[in-house]
Amino acid sequence: DYILLLGVLLTGAALAYTEVKFTPLGTAWSNHLLVMSLFAAALAVRGDSRVVAGVALSSFAAWMGVSASPLERAFWFSGDAAGAVRLNAAITGLLFVGLGYGLVRSGRKAHFEPVAAHLGWLLVLSAILAGVGDQGAARLGLFVVGAGLAAMAFWRGRFPLFGMGLIAAYIGLSALVVAGVRDAAFGFLWFSATGIAVLVGLLMAQRAMRERA
């Protein structure tokens, strides 16, 4: 796996050097990310490497974020680059989650599913989290989506996704509470008490999942 990963990373470095030095693609330089994604995906399937599959998906997400944002700004997010990037991240994340589900359903490379699912949900939650500071709807959305993910992951015994969802729900709930109660002393007490509660909840959930398995 690591030799294959090294080869992919060296190829990516060579492409990056070529683009910086000679700029063969000009303003379309982001297509190098797509090329790297397809190249890494082919090697991941051929070499049966989940590590390289993660590189392929990450490169694809980067390509989506860089190349598709101008088009989205032109049609839906005029002048709002941050909104376009968040939408891209959410769509790409859902695409990865769907890819993982499809791999399991088809029975082909089903062991790649955790890579796609973890990265996909991370992108979705990060997209919502990016708007928490400015939008009340994003705070509520982060809480709802995080709580739903945590519940689903607990039921299926998937602790990494459970932890991701629980922390996202906690951040969303905390943002709602802090925005509603603007008091420094209350904020200190809230984070002191709930932070410990979240940690205890994670430990208890992990133990419950292990016993159930």
Side-chain angles (χ1 to χ4, degrees):
D1 272 4
Y2 294 107
I3 294 177
L4 190 61
L5 176 62
L6 178 61
V8 171
L9 294 178
L10 288 175
T11 302
L15 282 174
Y17 176 81
T18 301
E19 180 58 38
V20 171
K21 192 71 175 178
F22 305 106
T23 61
L25 296 182
T27 57
W29 63 268
S30 60
N31 288 331
H32 278 304
L33 295 170
L34 179 60
V35 172
M36 270 304 302
S37 175
L38 297 175
F39 175 69
L43 288 182
V45 173
R46 179 64 178 173
D48 199 30
S49 172
R50 292 196 297 179
V51 176
V52 178
V55 174
L57 293 177
S58 300
S59 300
F60 182 81
W63 173 74
M64 283 285 291
V66 173
S67 64
S69 293
L71 182 63
E72 289 174 352
R73 287 199 300 270
F75 287 95
W76 297 294
F77 292 92
S78 179
D80 184 9
V85 172
R86 288 198 298 268
L87 177 63
N88 248 314
I91 292 175
T92 305
L94 292 175
L95 179 64
F96 288 171
V97 173
L99 172 64
Y101 179 77
L103 291 174
V104 172
R105 291 284 295 178
S106 66
R108 296 182 177 180
K109 301 295 181 182
H111 56 291
F112 281 14
E113 187 272 342
V115 178
H118 292 171
L119 182 57
W121 281 114
L122 181 62
L123 285 171
V124 171
L125 295 174
S126 298
I128 304 174
L129 177 62
V132 163
D134 304 321
Q135 304 172 14
R139 300 164 194 159
L140 180 60
L142 185 62
F143 171 71
V144 172
V145 174
L149 175 60
M152 179 196 69
F154 183 81
W155 176 64
R156 298 179 63 183
R158 303 186 63 172
F159 182 73
L161 288 178
F162 172 81
M164 198 182 300
L166 181 63
I167 293 174
Y170 171 67
I171 294 174
L173 179 61
S174 297
L176 288 170
V177 171
V178 171
V181 183
R182 299 182 180 277
D183 182 78
F186 176 81
F188 174 77
L189 292 174
W190 168 265
F191 286 109
S192 298
T194 57
I196 296 174
V198 168
L199 179 59
V200 172
L202 286 171
L203 294 175
M204 292 179 63
Q206 185 182 38
R207 178 179 297 180
M209 290 181 195
R210 284 180 176 176
E211 292 176 351
R212 192 172 56 190

